[in-house]
Amino acid sequence: MERAAQQAVPLGQMEVFQALQRLHMTIFSQSVSPCGKFLAAGNNYGQIAIFSLSAALSSEAKEESKKPMVTFQAHDGPVYSMVSTDRHLLSAGDGEVKAWLWAEILKKGCKELWRRQPPYRTSLEVPEINALLLVPKENLLILAGGDCQLHAMDLETGTFMWALRGHTDYIHCLALRERSPEVLSGGEDGAVRLWDLRTAKEVQTIEVYKHEECSRPHNGRWIGCLATDSDWMVCGGGPALTLWHLRSSTPTTVFPMRAPQKHVTFYQDLILSAGQGHCVNQWQLSGELKAQVPGSSPGLLSLSLNQQPAAPECKVLTAAGNSCRVDVFTNLGYRAFSLSF
Amino acid sequence: MSSESSKKRKPKVIRSDGAPAEGKRTRSDTEQEGKYYSEEAEVDLRDPGRDYELYKYTCQELQRLMAEIQDLKSRGGKDAAVEIEDRRIQSCVHFMTLKKLNRLAHIRLKKGRDQTHEAKQKVDAYHLQLQNLLYEVMHLQKEITKCLEFKSKHEEIDLVSLEEFYKEAPPDISKAEVTMGDPHQQTLARLDWELEQRKRLAEKYRECLSNKEKILKEIEVKKEYLSSLQPRLNSIMQASLPVQEYLFMPFDQAHKQYETARHLPPPLYVLFVQATAYGQACDKTLSVAIEGSVDEAKALFKPPEDSQDDESDSDAEEEQTTKRRRPTLGVQLDDKRKEMLKRHPLSVLLDLKCKGLAPLSLGHLLTPRSAASCSHVGVWQADAPLPTKIFCSARSQLVLTWKQQWEEDWHIQGLDHRKLSVNGGFAHQWERALPPPDGHFCVEPRAWPVFSMQSFPSSSDLLSPDSVLSCLYPGDHGKKTPNPANQYQFDKVGILTLRDYVLDLGHPYLWVQKLGGLHFPKEQPQHTVIADHSQSASHMETTMKLLKTRVQSRLALHKQFASLEHGIVPVTSDCHYLFPAKVVSRLVKWVTIAHEDYTELHFTKDIVEAGLAGDTNLYYMALVERGTAKLQAAVVLNPGYSSIPPIFQLCLNWKGEKTNNNDDNIRAMESEVNVCYKELCGPRPGHQLLTNQLQRLCVLLDVYLETESHDDSVEGPKEFPQEKMCLRLFRGPSRMKPFKYNHPQGFFSHR
């Protein structure tokens, strides 16, 4: 196998460059289309690739169907975050958020619908946008990233309504509490902050690194991932992955995982997390490791659960990170195949 | 039977009757005669029907008499005996009658037979006659048809048409008044005319022949005159040589070279012509020369027929020898191989001078030691060439092959950094097929360049002929024979792979074939290949330019390596803007490693799996150090450097082992040097790429170490205080460090 690979060497300048580009590709973000049949993935070269999940999952899937059906240059810098509304794909990375019409993307006519830049105060370097969050009830899009603020944009008018300041370093992640309209944000400064959307005020601050149970000074303070479910919150990063009870602001479970986690999400009665290392980890709420499912990338940055009711046949978990491949898990037990840039 | 018995009896009768009859005859001859023949004559007289009635009657009488006798006997009586006697006498008379009748019957039978026989003989005779007559008729008929079918020779003669005949023929031949009506006479006349005409033409032909001979003689005379002119001209040429030399006009030398070029095999000839043309038109630094023995090359050109005969002879001889010396079969095969891979006595030498190599800055010029060793000149002499003939029956067609070979030799002469001359000859191997029926030759040549140069320790692989010429075009590693047909010939003499022989023969690079005008289609293994000028011309310029850049970049690398080995990364002044003024990390080691060692490194798996670590590449290991941090970098140097960038794989030993697998920032550093290499190329033609990449690596290591988040819980100062100016330490979800250097301001930012 290895021998065969070496024999197939006749590479010209272009081929070598492309091979190197693929080799050093990182997929930062994923988003499932509103119909549930397509998956958008954004990489560090600012490209967005659209994969057809339904084609790749169908019984007559070929190698061809695991390649992107369309790839386009969306941003100049990496695409750190993407979300989908019921009509649009919103992507953000290098300080701008851009909107693309799903309907047009699928027709392979990829022209941006609009682009917006939040009002930044600094001018030397354009801050990046690390996280996008949709608040469907208020038709709001919340952006957070390099300038340590949460910007709220009205999707109706496209105007930035307010900014929430409080973080002392850049923001990694956002999470929404559905019932009481509150937003959680976690950042490089090691704090998880709760914001009330109605008053646009900070409600609560949890400085995770100050709790001995979960602090890991050699890894740093930064909070890389965040997820909530009613009164519960799970966060990880430099500190260990920890389950918190929000009302009492106490860590209830510390998950025994050495590597920093980059993405965490609740799924039914499980917590799925991924980060450094090629496995998707499944945790019981009690802190037991239920399973570790290996993927194909050396490190994972994002997980995406396709739970669109419109496409029950495409109900899969996809994971992407430090490679040009998006791993597809048809059930939580094992990796079925990989989509590849 | 009965007739026979009657015959026997007749003489008896005659004899018994003889004696008395004699006497009687004398008395009345006629009577006697009539008596003697009476019965036979009687036959004619008597009526057979009456005889039959008589016979019936006699038989009835006999029956009656017998019955009466029986009756009398049975009654018995005295008078019976008399009556019986009487009756017996009567019966005897009847018996006599019966006897007579019997004889008559016999005679009649005989007579009838005789008559039948006679008639039969007559019929037979008639029949015979009839058959004779029929045969005669048939024969005559045949003769008639033969006559009818007879064809005269004159019908085959294409006579002039009738009108023409009457128009042209003189009246004494045509005799129109006689021949008009009589087709036979007409034909005769026409034939006469034909004969007349032919006689006239024959006369004309003889005249022309004599004319021709006359002209030939004239030509002979003129030729003699011309040949007498040659020596005179030669002497004039000879006399003009010193003048030519004095005036730097090498007409004569060029002429001589063209003369020699005629003995080059087609691919080399194409190469010679095209290279000369290219050199004259576009590139003055390219000069072409032919080396080797012309006489030996001439000896190779024998008429194919002779060679074929020789071959059959030697074939037979060969068989004998194999019978005699069976155990030496292996040796024989070895000889065959050697013969097959023999070189052609002539070689074309391409001399490509590369001028104006940019000297390296910072005074890192060549050390005297390496400069001295560079001036070595390696020349590979061709073996004594003999035409080798091999019958190849792969296509049920006799293929007669000469295996010849040229050597190509690259040597670097008097290397200083101002002028470099590279000589290349070409090792060619070509085969010539017997002419197919339509009479043109198929030529299937191959060309192999061979390089030899003394290796010197520091960068042996770098300037080794193997690697300088390898992969000039993507994938052209010269390890397989470019002509698929060769495989069959190799099979015949038991050469499994060409690899084992490449060392002796040189690599059959595809680009050399193309320069020689040969194009081998990959999908058609039996395609015959003809040396083509356009093929060579279309590749000459690009190949020469590639060769030049290749050698230039190799020489640049060679210089750079000399300083790299001393731990100095040479950065030219025009590339200073790429790096900050202060770089603390230092290159401490730069060594060559083997391909196998590279593939066994734990952090190079990705490159190997991506197929970027072929065995045509060169492999190096660099070690960059700063304090306790040691950064290993495994480098793949593609032969296509510097258009194809070197590929770095990193492994940092500092607070544990960090590779791209477990540290995103190491991965980012790799991508900084591997993917963003274009900004590191420096001024064209980008020979500073490798050194710039290494310098960049040092900078990246500085940034990596200085921005590493300080563990508050550990006492004491940071090992690497932050000296670089950074806008932000981390950015993005994967917490990238600010690796991008902004030149005039001198700060680091994120890409």
Side-chain angles (χ1 to χ4, degrees):
Chain A
M1 183 67 196
E2 198 175 285
R3 191 84 198 149
Q6 283 176 26
Q7 287 300 319
V9 162
L11 295 176
Q13 189 180 357
M14 271 317 288
E15 287 92 339
V16 169
F17 183 65
Q18 280 165 1
L20 285 173
Q21 264 204 335
R22 280 168 57 84
L23 209 59
H24 291 97
M25 192 183 287
T26 303
I27 300 175
F28 284 108
S29 52
Q30 308 173 58
S31 179
V32 178
S33 71
C35 64
K37 288 178 182 166
F38 301 96
L39 179 76
N43 69 10
N44 57 331
Y45 304 116
Q47 296 165 326
I48 294 178
I50 310 294
F51 298 96
S52 170
L53 283 176
S54 55
L57 285 165
S58 72
S59 52
E60 58 258 24
K62 292 175 223 108
E63 273 310 300
E64 232 2 65
S65 50
K66 289 167 189 168
K67 289 274 171 193
M69 47 187 281
V70 55
T71 306
F72 57 96
Q73 190 72 35
H75 294 263
D76 294 333
V79 184
Y80 287 134
S81 183
M82 288 196 292
V83 288
S84 290
T85 68
D86 48 1
R87 285 178 63 217
H88 300 133
L89 172 69
L90 306 174
S91 67
D94 48 354
E96 272 186 327
V97 58
K98 292 187 182 181
W100 316 81
L101 261 181
W102 266 110
E104 274 187 26
I105 290 172
L106 299 181
K107 275 186 250 158
K108 304 186 181 178
C110 302
K111 210 168 165 291
E112 65 179 56
L113 198 64
W114 47 259
R115 62 164 89 186
R116 295 280 183 277
Q117 186 166 11
Y120 296 126
R121 284 179 299 181
T122 63
S123 57
L124 198 55
E125 193 186 33
V126 180
E128 81 279 13
I129 297 172
N130 284 329
L132 294 175
L133 185 69
L134 277 174
V135 187
K137 274 185 198 162
E138 330 242 328
N139 204 12
L140 272 183
L141 177 70
I142 299 178
L143 305 87
D147 67 343
C148 317
Q149 305 176 35
L150 282 79
H151 295 277
M153 190 184 96
D154 186 4
L155 280 175
E156 192 75 36
T157 59
T159 51
F160 289 92
M161 300 164 69
W162 37 257
L164 302 172
R165 298 185 185 89
H167 278 286
T168 56
D169 206 335
Y170 77 92
I171 300 170
H172 273 287
C173 48
L174 294 171
L176 180 71
R177 292 184 79 189
E178 292 277 355
R179 261 177 263 166
S180 51
E182 285 177 343
V183 171
L184 286 89
S185 64
E188 184 72 16
D189 57 358
V192 175
R193 289 170 206 265
L194 247 92
W195 312 83
D196 191 328
L197 285 181
R198 286 165 296 196
T199 58
K201 291 265 166 60
E202 185 172 343
V203 184
Q204 195 179 351
T205 306
I206 304 172
E207 293 182 297
V208 179
Y209 63 96
K210 287 186 177 166
H211 291 78
E212 261 183 43
E213 301 95 310
C214 52
S215 106
R216 292 187 297 195
H218 60 278
N219 279 344
R221 300 171 178 177
W222 54 279
I223 298 297
C225 55
L226 197 59
T228 58
D229 192 8
S230 64
D231 277 344
W232 299 94
M233 173 197 75
V234 62
C235 68
L241 190 68
T242 318
L243 184 68
W244 293 76
H245 189 244
L246 281 178
R247 240 179 302 167
S248 59
S249 317
T250 47
T252 51
T253 316
V254 178
F255 298 99
M257 171 55 64
R258 286 172 56 89
Q261 297 298 290
K262 299 283 178 67
H263 197 281
V264 68
T265 179
F266 285 95
Y267 175 66
Q268 293 165 353
D269 55 347
L270 290 175
I271 290 170
L272 307 180
S273 79
Q276 199 59 257
H278 61 281
C279 290
V280 175
N281 308 303
Q282 300 172 21
W283 307 94
Q284 310 275 19
L285 292 181
S286 60
E288 281 170 47
L289 182 63
K290 192 192 168 216
Q292 274 194 310
V293 189
S296 65
S297 309
L300 294 174
L301 287 171
S302 72
L303 298 174
S304 165
L305 267 164
N306 182 6
Q307 286 172 311
Q308 292 291 345
E313 76 277 6
C314 298
K315 189 180 170 188
V316 290
L317 171 71
T318 52
N322 288 341
S323 75
C324 57
R325 293 176 292 276
V326 180
D327 297 338
V328 178
F329 302 82
T330 42
N331 65 31
L332 292 183
Y334 73 103
R335 180 176 71 95
F337 56 88
S338 296
L339 306 166
S340 173
F341 255 90
Chain B
M1 177 73 186
S2 58
S3 74
E4 207 177 326
S5 63
S6 72
K7 270 178 189 169
K8 273 176 191 169
R9 206 178 298 158
K10 255 180 243 164
K12 252 185 203 167
V13 171
I14 291 165
R15 233 171 271 153
S16 61
D17 288 1
E22 287 290 320
K24 272 179 204 171
R25 203 174 264 185
T26 46
R27 271 176 269 149
S28 57
D29 210 23
T30 48
E31 201 180 316
Q32 265 210 353
E33 192 121 20
K35 251 197 178 169
Y36 184 75
Y37 287 106
S38 66
E39 279 200 324
E40 281 184 13
E42 207 182 343
V43 168
D44 295 333
L45 301 175
R46 290 175 73 111
D47 181 27
R50 296 265 286 288
D51 281 353
Y52 177 62
E53 291 299 320
L54 182 63
Y55 167 71
K56 265 176 36 186
Y57 170 73
T58 318
C59 286
Q60 275 170 5
E61 281 301 298
L62 266 176
Q63 273 174 343
R64 189 183 51 88
L65 288 171
M66 289 299 161
E68 278 174 7
I69 290 169
Q70 200 189 2
D71 196 37
L72 287 172
K73 273 194 176 170
S74 59
R75 241 184 286 159
K78 285 192 246 161
D79 55 343
V82 181
E83 280 202 27
I84 287 170
E85 193 61 26
D86 185 37
R87 299 253 156 67
R88 187 182 292 155
I89 291 164
Q90 279 180 13
S91 333
C92 278
V93 172
H94 282 304
F95 268 118
M96 290 310 285
T97 319
L98 271 182
K99 264 189 157 175
K100 165 115 180 144
L101 284 173
N102 185 32
R103 269 198 310 278
L104 284 174
H106 273 298
I107 289 164
R108 270 202 195 103
L109 183 68
K110 186 179 173 263
K111 247 190 180 165
R113 266 195 191 138
D114 287 349
Q115 274 173 354
T116 319
H117 187 245
E118 220 167 277
K120 197 186 160 206
Q121 262 182 338
K122 225 180 242 172
V123 169
D124 278 353
Y126 284 138
H127 187 72
L128 198 65
Q129 205 178 351
L130 175 68
Q131 272 191 335
N132 280 340
L133 288 171
L134 280 177
Y135 183 78
E136 206 169 324
V137 166
M138 219 157 65
H139 180 73
L140 288 172
Q141 271 172 346
K142 257 189 208 164
E143 287 294 308
I144 290 165
T145 44
K146 236 187 233 172
C147 290
L148 287 176
E149 278 169 8
F150 173 76
K151 278 211 166 128
S152 168
K153 235 210 172 119
H154 81 272
E155 282 169 45
E156 289 166 19
I157 298 170
D158 197 13
L159 293 169
V160 292
S161 71
L162 212 56
E163 299 103 64
E164 221 175 307
F165 166 67
Y166 280 118
K167 215 164 71 186
E168 288 177 4
D172 60 317
I173 290 176
S174 66
K175 285 179 207 148
E177 65 284 356
V178 185
T179 53
M180 273 308 217
D182 186 354
H184 179 71
Q185 285 300 327
Q186 192 183 46
T187 313
L188 280 178
R190 284 171 75 186
L191 284 170
D192 280 344
W193 176 230
E194 182 74 24
L195 180 69
E196 182 66 29
Q197 275 179 317
R198 287 188 183 201
K199 270 179 188 163
R200 283 183 205 172
L201 287 174
E203 188 64 31
K204 219 181 217 172
Y205 171 68
R206 231 170 305 152
E207 267 171 42
C208 288
L209 269 185
S210 63
N211 215 5
K212 183 188 156 198
E213 240 158 69
K214 221 186 277 169
I215 293 168
L216 272 179
K217 264 178 201 162
E218 274 173 43
I219 290 172
E220 201 73 12
V221 171
K222 283 178 183 170
K223 257 189 187 166
E224 261 171 43
Y225 172 72
L226 279 178
S227 59
S228 71
L229 211 61
Q230 179 72 29
R232 266 191 282 168
L233 283 174
N234 274 350
S235 62
I236 293 171
M237 293 270 281
Q238 206 66 37
S240 76
L241 266 182
V243 183
Q244 275 185 30
E245 265 170 44
Y246 184 71
L247 295 171
F248 298 107
M249 290 192 299
F251 296 128
D252 202 47
Q253 198 191 339
H255 180 71
K256 241 181 215 167
Q257 213 168 45
Y258 293 148
E259 190 63 30
T260 320
R262 280 187 16 217
H263 301 288
L264 289 171
L268 273 191
Y269 185 75
V270 170
L271 171 71
F272 172 76
V273 170
Q274 292 299 330
T276 317
Y278 175 71
Q280 282 171 359
C282 309
D283 194 349
K284 298 290 178 213
T285 60
L286 176 71
S287 62
V288 186
I290 298 173
E291 282 192 352
S293 154
V294 182
D295 294 337
E296 282 172 3
K298 274 182 190 164
L300 291 177
F301 283 88
K302 281 182 184 173
E305 300 84 40
D306 295 359
S307 319
Q308 196 186 343
D309 292 343
D310 287 357
E311 175 50 32
S312 53
D313 291 349
S314 65
D315 236 19
E317 268 172 42
E318 218 165 80
E319 268 172 40
Q320 283 177 358
T321 47
T322 42
K323 271 174 197 167
R324 252 183 277 139
R325 292 181 287 161
R326 220 166 264 274
T328 58
L329 204 67
V331 180
Q332 234 177 14
L333 210 60
D334 217 42
D335 288 346
K336 262 193 183 175
R337 271 178 231 158
K338 270 184 196 159
E339 279 176 3
M340 190 168 172
L341 301 172
K342 198 160 270 172
R343 270 179 237 111
H344 193 271
L346 291 177
S347 65
V348 173
L349 227 73
L350 301 182
D351 190 3
L352 196 62
K353 292 189 184 66
C354 306
K355 282 180 192 166
L357 282 179
L360 293 180
S361 65
L362 305 173
H364 295 307
L365 295 174
L366 290 175
T367 60
R369 183 181 58 82
S370 57
S373 52
C374 278
S375 61
H376 163 81
V377 177
V379 181
W380 191 8
Q381 283 303 330
D383 298 340
L386 280 171
T388 314
K389 291 151 247 164
I390 292 172
F391 275 109
C392 173
S393 56
R395 269 184 292 163
S396 74
Q397 173 195 1
L398 281 183
V399 178
L400 182 68
T401 59
W402 278 265
K403 308 278 170 163
Q404 300 154 345
Q405 208 163 326
W406 288 256
E407 45 99 0
E408 164 154 345
D409 195 280
W410 279 60
H411 47 263
I412 298 182
Q413 292 171 332
L415 179 90
D416 62 7
H417 58 272
R418 295 257 155 239
K419 180 183 166 189
L420 167 80
S421 105
V422 180
N423 288 0
F426 287 80
H428 275 243
Q429 182 156 10
W430 62 288
E431 300 137 27
R432 191 160 162 202
L434 269 186
D438 59 342
H440 68 74
F441 287 86
C442 320
V443 184
E444 305 173 29
R446 286 173 300 179
W448 295 346
V450 176
F451 292 84
S452 76
M453 195 160 61
Q454 195 189 47
S455 56
F456 40 97
S458 56
S459 48
S460 55
D461 287 343
L462 201 60
L463 287 173
S464 82
D466 256 4
S467 87
V468 169
L469 295 183
S470 175
C471 297
L472 204 57
Y473 292 94
D476 188 5
H477 46 64
K479 281 171 186 160
K480 279 190 301 188
T481 160
N483 186 354
N486 292 149
Q487 199 51 53
Y488 297 106
Q489 291 159 342
F490 288 163
D491 286 349
K492 251 191 127 66
V493 295
I495 297 176
L496 293 178
T497 56
L498 188 62
R499 264 166 200 262
D500 310 338
Y501 297 87
V502 158
L503 266 185
D504 291 338
L505 299 172
H507 294 275
Y509 295 113
L510 281 175
W511 59 266
V512 186
Q513 324 301 320
K514 283 175 180 165
L515 285 191
L518 305 174
H519 179 63
F520 297 101
K522 280 178 182 169
E523 299 304 317
Q524 295 158 281
Q526 290 296 339
H527 192 83
T528 44
V529 190
I530 295 156
D532 179 13
H533 280 265
S534 61
Q535 171 79 17
S536 169
S538 63
H539 283 84
M540 182 61 73
E541 184 166 2
T542 32
T543 307
M544 283 303 149
K545 280 183 178 158
L546 276 175
L547 271 176
K548 235 179 198 178
T549 35
R550 168 69 59 89
V551 171
Q552 278 170 342
S553 74
R554 284 305 165 101
L555 283 172
L557 269 184
H558 179 257
K559 279 185 218 162
Q560 292 163 358
F561 278 21
S563 47
L564 286 181
E565 275 174 20
H566 291 84
I568 302 158
V569 182
V571 179
T572 52
S573 55
D574 42 10
C575 292
H576 276 158
Y577 71 94
L578 290 169
F579 312 106
K582 190 181 177 192
V583 181
V584 189
S585 300
R586 283 281 164 254
L587 177 76
V588 291
K589 208 168 83 177
W590 175 259
V591 287
T592 310
I593 57 171
H595 175 226
E596 292 75 29
D597 296 342
Y598 180 87
T599 53
E600 277 161 21
L601 288 172
H602 64 279
F603 55 94
T604 56
K605 212 179 79 203
D606 292 344
I607 298 290
V608 175
E609 278 171 4
L612 293 169
D615 50 4
T616 50
N617 299 331
L618 302 171
Y619 296 90
Y620 299 94
M621 179 67 89
L623 185 63
V624 179
E625 273 188 13
R626 177 175 176 183
T628 55
K630 289 179 171 36
L631 179 69
Q632 278 181 292
V635 185
V636 183
L637 189 70
N638 196 291
Y641 177 86
S642 56
S643 64
I644 298 175
I647 302 167
F648 287 70
Q649 285 292 96
L650 306 178
C651 176
L652 176 66
N653 276 297
W654 183 60
K655 295 184 182 174
E657 195 177 73
K658 289 167 183 175
T659 66
N660 64 12
N661 246 335
N662 57 19
D663 193 323
D664 288 347
N665 278 305
I666 296 289
R667 196 160 182 266
M669 284 161 72
E670 284 175 4
S671 114
E672 282 289 329
V673 284
N674 290 342
V675 182
C676 308
Y677 71 92
K678 277 172 185 156
E679 59 202 47
L680 297 172
C681 284
R684 287 182 64 81
H687 290 155
Q688 277 80 47
L689 175 58
L690 180 73
T691 50
N692 284 352
Q693 276 180 317
L694 281 168
Q695 182 71 0
R696 178 101 177 99
L697 203 59
C698 295
V699 175
L700 291 174
L701 182 63
D702 279 354
V703 173
Y704 181 92
L705 294 173
E706 288 176 19
T707 56
E708 192 60 23
S709 54
H710 189 61
D711 189 349
D712 298 329
S713 60
V714 181
E715 291 291 316
K718 285 169 104 175
E719 186 186 354
F720 305 111
Q722 190 181 334
E723 291 167 344
K724 305 271 184 295
M725 213 192 340
C726 303
L727 289 181
R728 276 171 61 190
L729 291 186
F730 298 102
R731 183 184 157 120
S734 47
R735 306 183 73 238
M736 286 299 148
K737 299 185 180 203
F739 288 125
K740 188 180 170 194
Y741 176 71
N742 296 278
H743 165 53
Q745 300 89 352
F747 65 91
F748 284 84
S749 65
H750 290 88
R751 191 172 287 282

